[in-house]
Amino acid sequence: MKVRTRSSAIVGTLCLVASLALTTASADERSAPPRAAQVTLKQVATAQNPTAGTAGPGGTVWLAERAGAVRVLTNKGLGKPVLDISAETTTDGERGLLGIAFDKKFAHFYISYTNLEGTSTIDEFAVRKGKLQPNTRRTVLTQTQPYSNHNGGDIKIGPDGYLYIAFGDGGAGGDPHGNGQNLDTLLGKLVRIDPNGGDPYAIPPDNPFVDDPNVKDEIWAYGLRNPWRFSFDAGTGDLLIGDVGQSDWEEIDWAPANSKGGENYGWSQMEGTHPFRGGTEPANHVPPVHEYDRNGLGCAVTGGYVYRGDAIPDLKGQYVFSDYCDGTVRSLEMKNGKVTGVNDLGVSGGEVVSFVQGCKGELYVLAQGGTVSRIDPA
């Protein structure tokens, strides 16, 4: 599902090393560099082409399957579908059921999918006592898609309670319509709306472009190619986006919790920190905090989460991510928006398409082949 024009988990537990204590030290002696957290992947379920997940009521984890089913993961395994829209979507190209999210009170449930015509669609259900109310379903927002790839489709409720939606640039290759830098379309953007403030939604009054008649009011950030999974740090509120590159560079973008929005991540003038096909770097370009090239096995970044669970203390505060083709689970150590370390956690999740964060901050890894794994301590 992921995305490349040319190419086609939640954590576990304990910690690891007790730090090496130096009993004597001269002024020149230095402590040994810290080791990466020691983790393992414990398979907890098998799904049919899982694409996304979210923490649910009662400590559950809800998983979306690309063909259209939503299932609940409990300590007894993966249950029967609580929702099935398979007759309303298609798995052609990169389409399907691509994102799910609850609001903070588990009073509303949102799904993000492409309908049979390929239009990106966000629907809402009321939730009562942990159960969806089918007769309350309504469409919140739609966005037509010119091609069957680069749909994006991830959705999250932000720390502010608003609904954030990630849309790719519309597809094909090289952003042929210039959507990434075009502020008159939602394609290539991170969108921010208030689904309960109006019919079908309201624009938050502090969105960055609400006073500009030439810009879509819904836009929070732009210059994205195919933001394949974004998240908010549960500890700080910072935003992190895994944005899939075109030819050479995969990137992870970051914005602080106190951001007023309006960030331009550069696509399609830039691919990471590099001009794309003779592009000119925009004056307001916000470069990625991390990028990696495709000289190895990687081909499409899968964004994850900053780990805030208790099971693996050595991983706490690190951003966990992977790559669809490489499958290696990695982490970034960050301080004040700067990457201070990159760690290979020594486990492979297969064709990793998504991460899920449970209610207690533990992380799961979803693989296209169906494996649902929790990141546990080794």
Side-chain angles (χ1 to χ4, degrees):
M1 200 60 282
K2 279 226 53 201
V3 46
R4 269 238 164 245
T5 302
R6 78 169 177 86
S7 69
S8 35
I10 271 185
V11 262
T13 265
L14 280 178
C15 78
L16 132 216
V17 222
S19 19
L20 302 171
L22 296 176
T23 53
T24 59
S26 69
D28 296 326
E29 284 182 307
R30 303 182 181 210
S31 59
R35 292 198 295 161
Q38 303 298 293
V39 305
T40 188
L41 295 182
K42 177 181 175 61
Q43 183 171 345
V44 296
T46 300
Q48 296 295 317
N49 199 347
T51 51
T54 185
T60 59
V61 169
W62 290 41
L63 298 179
E65 296 176 332
R66 185 181 173 195
V70 177
R71 302 176 188 268
V72 180
L73 178 66
T74 67
N75 55 10
K76 296 182 180 180
L78 200 58
K80 295 180 179 180
V82 295
L83 177 68
D84 190 346
I85 62 163
S86 56
E88 304 173 49
T89 188
T90 173
T91 56
D92 292 345
E94 295 172 1
R95 295 168 174 162
L97 177 58
L98 303 175
I100 57 175
F102 281 98
D103 66 11
K104 290 186 173 183
K105 296 182 178 180
F106 300 110
H108 297 92
F109 181 68
Y110 298 92
I111 62 174
S112 170
Y113 66 100
T114 49
N115 67 16
L116 294 175
E117 288 72 45
T119 298
S120 291
T121 305
I122 311 297
D123 283 358
E124 176 195 84
F125 295 82
V127 181
R128 298 192 184 98
K129 296 182 179 179
K131 295 184 178 181
L132 302 185
Q133 304 300 304
N135 61 341
T136 66
R137 182 179 179 179
R138 70 183 185 96
T139 295
V140 176
L141 181 147
T142 62
Q143 170 62 52
T144 57
Q145 294 282 353
Y147 305 101
S148 64
N149 61 335
H150 301 187
N151 296 292
D154 200 11
I155 54 176
K156 295 286 190 300
I157 297 293
D160 51 19
Y162 293 131
L163 180 63
Y164 289 74
I165 308 162
F167 287 122
D169 64 9
D175 194 10
H177 302 292
N179 290 324
Q181 295 295 307
N182 180 4
L183 295 177
D184 193 32
T185 176
L186 300 185
L187 296 174
K189 311 299 187 297
L190 185 64
V191 170
R192 180 184 188 237
I193 62 173
D194 179 0
N196 299 125
D199 185 13
Y201 62 86
I203 304 295
D206 58 346
N207 268 14
F209 300 111
V210 290
D211 296 323
D212 190 334
N214 299 314
V215 179
K216 292 282 189 183
D217 292 344
E218 294 90 342
I219 295 173
W220 179 255
Y222 64 107
L224 296 165
R225 180 179 178 273
N226 193 33
W228 191 253
R229 303 312 175 212
F230 70 96
S231 64
F232 294 93
D233 183 342
T236 65
D238 296 347
L239 168 69
L240 292 115
I241 306 169
D243 193 22
V244 179
Q246 172 72 43
S247 304
D248 299 304
W249 297 94
E250 303 300 313
E251 70 180 83
I252 293 170
D253 299 309
W254 174 88
N258 62 2
S259 167
K260 303 300 182 183
E263 286 87 0
N264 178 4
Y265 294 113
W267 179 256
S268 59
Q269 292 296 305
M270 305 291 291
E271 185 181 19
T273 60
H274 311 269
F276 178 72
R277 295 180 181 174
T280 300
E281 183 173 17
N284 63 343
H285 178 220
V286 178
V289 293
H290 180 65
E291 65 179 10
Y292 61 93
D293 62 38
R294 299 180 59 219
N295 292 332
L297 298 177
C299 77
V301 66
T302 298
Y305 289 85
V306 174
Y307 177 68
R308 295 296 177 185
D310 294 326
I312 310 173
D314 284 352
L315 192 59
K316 187 163 288 190
Q318 297 183 34
Y319 177 71
V320 179
F321 70 103
S322 188
D323 185 285
Y324 173 74
C325 293
D326 175 76
T328 301
V329 180
R330 294 183 168 86
S331 70
L332 301 181
E333 298 176 41
M334 296 182 61
K335 185 175 182 179
N336 299 323
K338 303 292 184 182
V339 173
T340 59
V342 182
N343 299 313
D344 181 337
L345 297 183
V347 292
S348 175
E351 294 176 320
V352 178
V353 294
S354 193
F355 289 82
V356 187
Q357 185 178 57
C359 293
K360 295 183 179 180
E362 305 303 329
L363 298 179
Y364 297 82
V365 181
L366 307 183
Q368 180 171 277
T371 304
V372 180
S373 302
R374 188 177 63 233
I375 304 178
D376 280 355

